[in-house]
Amino acid sequence: MAEDFAEGLPAGLHSAAPGTLHSRISAWLRERIATGAWPPHYRLKPEPELAAALGVSRGTLRRALATLIAEGALVQVRGKGTFVTSTLVEPAIAQKLTSLAEDFADQGSPLSTEVLECRLLTPPAPVAALLDTPVGRPILHLVRLRSTPEGPVALLDNYVRTDLAPGLEETDFTEATLFGALASRHGLHIATGRRTFTATLADQKQAALLDLAPGSPLQHLEQVTYLGDGSPIEYSDVWIRSDRLRVTSLLTRH
C-alpha cells in the first residue's frame, strides 16, 4: 500500500473518544483533504481496502464517506471510484482521450518536440498521492516543448510511474510520444483519464519558453491518466498558447 494509514490516523479512532466511529473517520478524511495530503482529484482506495486499513466495517466507512460527499469534499463516479473534489466548479466533459501529438498527426499537421528535461526524481507529495506511489520513490519527470512551424504552442510537464514502465527514461521523446512509448515498449495502454481546464497567466519561465510576454493568457490543462486496471500511470500539467491552438471537445449528452 502506497500510504501509511497508521501514521495519519487519529490516535483515538478506535478508543472511547467522543463521537461515533463513523464521525471520527469523517473527521480524519476531512483532515487529509484540508491538509493537502489528499489533493484535488486524488482517488481514494477501493472501499474494501480502505475499510481494512482502517479496521472498520464497510458500512461504517460508507457512512463516513457519505458525510464528506454531502459536504461536497468527495464525489463518487460510477465504475471509477471516490475522488477528492476541487474547490472550483468542474463541469464534466466527455471527449476522446488523445494527446496533442496524436491530434496533430491525425490532421497531418507538422509538430516538433524539444525535450527540456527527462530524468528520475522524487515527485512532490501531491503528485505522489495522485499517482498512488510511495513518497520518496523516484518517477520520471518529463518536460517538453511542442512547436509548429509558426512557433511554440504548448509546454508539457509530465510525471510518469517508472515502477510500471522501467527504463522509460531512456526513450528518445523528441521522436516518440509518451502514450506511444508506454503502449509500444511497455505494453501499457491508457484507458481513462481526468482532465481539468483552467485559464491562467504565463509566469516568467512559461513566457520565455512559449515566446510570450509575461502575464499573457494561457490555457492550463491538468490531467491524470489510468491504465485498464485502474492504476494511475501519469500526471501532467500542460500550458497552451490559445492564440495558436484551440482545444475542442466532442460532447455527448446522456
Side-chain angles (χ1 to χ4, degrees):
M1 182 177 297
E3 186 172 1
D4 184 354
F5 284 106
E7 182 179 345
L9 283 174
L13 180 63
H14 293 288
S15 70
T20 61
L21 180 55
H22 69 80
S23 66
R24 293 198 292 274
I25 296 174
S26 293
W28 174 73
L29 294 169
R30 201 177 289 115
E31 179 184 2
R32 303 295 288 170
I33 297 169
T35 60
W38 290 355
H41 312 313
Y42 174 83
R43 185 177 60 181
L44 276 63
K45 299 290 185 185
E47 285 185 6
E49 189 175 335
L50 183 54
L54 294 170
V56 300
S57 69
R58 290 183 64 181
T60 298
L61 174 63
R62 284 174 176 171
R63 293 188 67 180
L65 292 175
T67 299
L68 274 293
I69 291 170
E71 294 175 359
L74 295 176
V75 61
Q76 287 184 324
V77 181
R78 184 184 298 273
K80 304 296 182 184
T82 304
F83 296 83
V84 176
T85 60
S86 170
T87 55
L88 301 174
V89 176
E90 296 178 346
I93 297 177
Q95 64 182 78
K96 188 179 178 181
L97 184 60
T98 58
S99 67
L100 284 176
E102 290 169 334
D103 287 340
F104 273 77
D106 288 345
Q107 297 175 28
S109 302
L111 184 72
S112 62
T113 301
E114 180 182 358
V115 177
L116 305 176
E117 182 174 333
C118 182
R119 66 187 177 100
L120 300 179
L121 53 65
T122 300
V127 174
L130 289 170
L131 293 180
D132 194 19
T133 186
V135 174
R137 172 183 286 176
I139 65 175
L140 175 63
H141 186 213
L142 177 63
V143 183
R144 293 164 294 168
L145 184 66
R146 302 276 202 202
S147 300
T148 66
E150 288 72 37
V153 294
L155 176 63
L156 300 84
D157 191 327
N158 303 83
Y159 291 90
V160 192
R161 287 179 55 175
T162 47
D163 60 317
L164 300 176
L168 182 65
E169 69 276 11
E170 298 171 3
T171 303
D172 178 6
F173 285 105
T174 60
E175 298 295 333
T177 66
L178 177 56
F179 286 7
L182 288 172
S184 65
R185 303 179 186 183
H186 299 277
L188 300 175
H189 297 276
I190 306 295
T192 60
R194 180 188 179 98
R195 285 175 171 169
T196 305
F197 295 89
T198 57
T200 187
L201 300 178
D203 62 20
Q204 293 283 346
K205 179 180 178 181
Q206 294 159 356
L209 291 170
L210 290 169
D211 193 22
L212 288 166
S216 297
L218 292 175
Q219 185 168 190
H220 175 221
L221 182 159
E222 182 184 21
Q223 173 177 282
V224 184
T225 54
Y226 303 89
L227 302 176
D229 65 358
S231 300
I233 179 70
E234 173 261 349
Y235 168 86
S236 58
D237 288 295
V238 180
W239 294 274
I240 298 170
R241 277 191 61 154
S242 297
D243 60 331
R244 288 180 174 167
L245 183 63
R246 292 188 300 175
V247 178
T248 301
S249 296
L250 302 178
L251 308 178
T252 58
R253 180 176 174 81
H254 59 82

